[in-house]
Amino acid sequence: MQIDAHEAPPSLGVVRRCLSAQPSTSLKESPELPKTGHEPQVYTTHSYDKITNLRKQYLTPNVTSYYKKPLLIHKGSMQWLFDHEGRRYLDMFGGIVTVSVGHCHPKVNAALEEQMNTLWHTTNIYMHPKIHEYAEKLLSKMPGDLKNVYFVNSGSEANDLAMMIARLYSGNQEIISFRNAYHGASPYTMGLTAHSTWRYPLPGVSNGMIHAMNPDPYSGIWGGKNCRDSPIQTNRHCDCPADQCLASGKYYNELEQVFKYSLPRGKVAAMFAESIQGVGGTVQYPKGYIKRAAELVRANGGLFVADEVQSGFARTGEHYWGFEGHDIVPDIVTMAKGIGNGFPIGAVVTSRKVAEVLSQALHFNTYGGNPLASAVGIAVLDVIDEEGLQKNALDVGTYLLKGLDKLRDKYDVIGDVRGKGLMIGVELVSDRETRQHLSAPHFVEIWEMCKDMGVLFGRGGLNANVLRLKPPLCVTRSDAEYALTVIDFACETFLKKRKRGCRKN
């Protein structure tokens, strides 16, 4: 899809009019999408205006859309999405880190169709084969004694249940999570989530919740060039010796203060941590911190819960699970999103000893582990293995990270590049020295340009200034190269425009 001056949407057209006043020999022409053999069927449903009106009339007003002119997507194929006019987009966000093996993957589609023609639904008051086959296959991926699973329908449900299990098992009430963490938006998990933008003023939400200092090597109090388990380190200056992170110990000391001052002595129910923070902007912790934190929690009677909703299922490349990068075996693992490639399914995995606390009363989930979800889950696990998607996540993700690092060297607007595998964040700033976030209008200008050139990135961080790159794991090097070219083009265009003081009409 070549975007030229005649076909460009208004936002890109404005940028080009600004640039035309002072022609540049260095600014490349807008790049062209990689080829694909997939041709989507023609969209024949309601018009764009009709869908827009139906959305405004019937959906609750909190349901918002990306972009100034929201996309109307009607078809997906692997890493590609197609809108109602047939325009093709490289999906570098995977339906919010959910499409793990590719949109409409043929093997997953076939498994779902076969199960639909066999048995749609029966609850676990009866036995059906798929949930048992799926449990065995999923748990074969888990280390240690993590050999019991309870299936739910979403990440919020999974974390809800993990909170209850931890409190029942420990006999304690207080639960620790990090500032900047996101663990769900249900009334129960809202207390775990430590973003003001996701919290409603409801009584009891924060009951028993403690938010510890976020150990962020880029924007936190401490951190620098030797802190992260990533191919790319922050360029923030620090006094750490080579291959040693001093910030880890300093953040750990702050966590110890929470136990000393904010908890009943020796009594905590659990600590929750995403292996890499997702909604918070792909934040990674200093090396060694999570392992020491887990030990501290257990020494005080609690369980350590790894939230793998976004970082699980081979996304980090080096490991199948994000927590493996921290050299720990959690007490509970919660998962969703990529587990079902877009089908609603989640899970809580723990040991038999911990799981037994659920026998104290009846607990039931009508749809958890239903035949359709289980069939999809099995197919997703098979595809990850058969198509070598963990290795692909490592190879393509490392290629992306190194390319983004070169762009950081080139453009001051890129303050930080971080992540592992295909869980990547690019933080945009207005001042690299102070790490001041790029304002929303300026971020949106770059973000919209990327969309206009056919690449869809997510948006994250408390200040919504982080490009989130979490594509389907089937994305290729040529796709990665195109995404890099688009970011390069958008940053160069943005900075040239800002330098000239050009304003939109």
Side-chain angles (χ1 to χ4, degrees), residues 98 150-162 182-186 189 307-309 333-340 342-348 365 367-370 373:
T98 299
Y150 191 101
F151 291 110
V152 293
N153 305 294
S154 70
S156 290
E157 280 191 30
N159 283 325
D160 264 344
L161 182 59
Y182 180 89
H183 295 286
S186 67
T189 57
D307 183 333
E308 292 286 307
V309 169
V333 181
T334 60
M335 54 191 74
K337 289 187 178 286
I339 190 175
F343 197 94
I345 180 172
V348 177
N365 190 301
Y367 298 105
N370 69 76

Side-chain angles (χ1 to χ4, degrees), residues 212-369:
M213 179 182 287
N214 197 38
D216 181 351
Y218 176 69
S219 61
I221 298 175
W222 306 288
K225 58 181 184 243
N226 293 315
C227 287
R228 295 194 299 229
D229 177 22
S230 171
I232 306 303
Q233 298 293 333
T234 174
N235 55 14
R236 179 181 178 184
H237 174 74
C238 71
D239 297 323
C240 297
D243 300 323
Q244 184 178 351
C245 173
L246 299 180
S248 181
K250 293 178 180 179
Y251 283 116
Y252 177 77
N253 290 339
E254 287 297 314
L255 181 62
E256 284 189 314
Q257 300 308 303
V258 171
F259 281 79
K260 184 175 181 179
Y261 292 104
S262 302
L263 289 168
R265 189 177 298 274
K267 293 184 181 297
V268 67
M271 181 173 184
F272 278 68
E274 302 161 86
S275 296
I276 298 175
Q277 290 179 344
V279 172
T282 321
V283 173
Q284 294 179 276
Y285 317 118
K287 289 178 285 190
Y289 175 93
I290 289 294
K291 186 171 185 177
R292 294 184 69 188
E295 293 168 352
L296 181 62
V297 169
R298 289 165 177 157
N300 285 271
L303 302 179
F304 189 85
V305 183
D307 183 333
E308 292 286 307
V309 169
Q310 295 193 28
S311 58
F313 296 92
R315 179 157 294 279
T316 59
E318 285 184 347
H319 304 285
Y320 205 88
W321 305 108
F323 63 75
E324 293 176 287
H326 298 289
D327 191 28
I328 64 167
V329 176
D331 300 295
I332 300 176
V333 181
T334 60
M335 54 191 74
K337 289 187 178 286
I339 190 175
N341 200 48
F343 197 94
I345 180 172
V348 177
V349 174
T350 189
S351 65
R352 169 68 66 173
K353 182 180 179 181
V354 173
E356 284 175 347
V357 298
L358 286 175
S359 300
Q360 295 178 21
L362 291 175
H363 191 277
F364 186 72
N365 190 301
T366 301
Y367 298 105

Side-chain angles (χ1 to χ4, degrees), residues 107-108 110-116 119 128 130-131 133-134 343 345 369-382:
K107 179 160 185 168
V108 180
L112 180 59
E113 183 178 4
E114 180 182 358
Q115 188 58 49
M116 287 173 67
L119 176 68
H128 64 86
K130 286 299 179 184
I131 189 173
E133 295 170 18
Y134 183 33
F343 197 94
I345 180 172
N370 69 76
L372 296 176
S374 297
V376 167
I378 291 169
V380 168
L381 295 177
D382 288 341

Side-chain angles (χ1 to χ4, degrees), residues 63-76:
V63 179
T64 58
S65 301
Y66 271 8
Y67 305 117
K68 295 174 182 176
K69 183 179 180 181
L71 297 177
L72 176 53
I73 299 296
H74 95 104
K75 181 70 172 73

Side-chain angles (χ1 to χ4, degrees), residues 24-216:
S24 168
T25 57
S26 64
L27 185 65
K28 62 184 74 61
E29 287 300 314
S30 98
E32 186 173 353
L33 274 168
K35 303 295 183 184
T36 178
H38 183 81
E39 290 294 333
Q41 65 267 39
V42 176
Y43 177 76
T44 58
T45 318
H46 294 307
S47 69
Y48 184 93
D49 290 341
K50 175 70 171 178
I51 292 292
T52 300
N53 289 334
L54 290 172
R55 187 177 182 88
K56 290 178 180 177
Q57 184 175 358
Y58 294 115
L59 299 188
T60 56
N62 65 301
V63 179
T64 58
S65 301
Y66 271 8
Y67 305 117
K68 295 174 182 176
K69 183 179 180 181
L71 297 177
L72 176 53
I73 299 296
H74 95 104
K75 181 70 172 73
S77 175
M78 301 307 283
Q79 65 268 48
W80 302 104
L81 290 171
F82 300 83
D83 71 9
H84 67 295
E85 295 181 328
R87 294 192 184 95
R88 179 163 55 99
Y89 299 88
L90 176 60
D91 183 7
M92 291 298 290
F93 198 29
I96 314 183
V97 209
T98 299
V99 179
S100 50
V101 300
H103 293 280
C104 299
H105 191 287
K107 179 160 185 168
V108 180
N109 281 7
L112 180 59
E113 183 178 4
E114 180 182 358
Q115 188 58 49
M116 287 173 67
N117 292 326
T118 304
L119 176 68
W120 270 51
H121 177 72
T122 181
T123 67
N124 290 315
I125 58 173
Y126 310 118
M127 291 194 294
H128 64 86
K130 286 299 179 184
I131 189 173
H132 303 89
E133 295 170 18
Y134 183 33
E136 181 181 33
K137 185 176 283 285
L138 177 63
L139 294 174
S140 72
K141 302 289 188 184
M142 305 303 299
D145 61 355
L146 295 171
K147 298 303 179 187
N148 274 212
V149 59
Y150 191 101
F151 291 110
V152 293
N153 305 294
S154 70
S156 290
E157 280 191 30
N159 283 325
D160 264 344
L161 182 59
M163 291 170 67
M164 184 175 77
I165 290 173
R167 283 171 165 160
L168 288 171
Y169 182 82
S170 67
N172 300 326
Q173 171 70 5
E174 276 75 16
I175 296 177
I176 299 170
S177 64
F178 290 128
R179 300 169 196 163
N180 199 56
Y182 180 89
H183 295 286
S186 67
Y188 208 27
T189 57
M190 195 185 301
L192 272 180
T193 292
H195 274 240
S196 59
T197 49
W198 292 94
R199 290 169 65 92
Y200 289 95
L202 297 173
V205 164
S206 297
N207 183 30
M209 303 296 178
I210 298 172
H211 298 141
M213 179 182 287
N214 197 38
D216 181 351

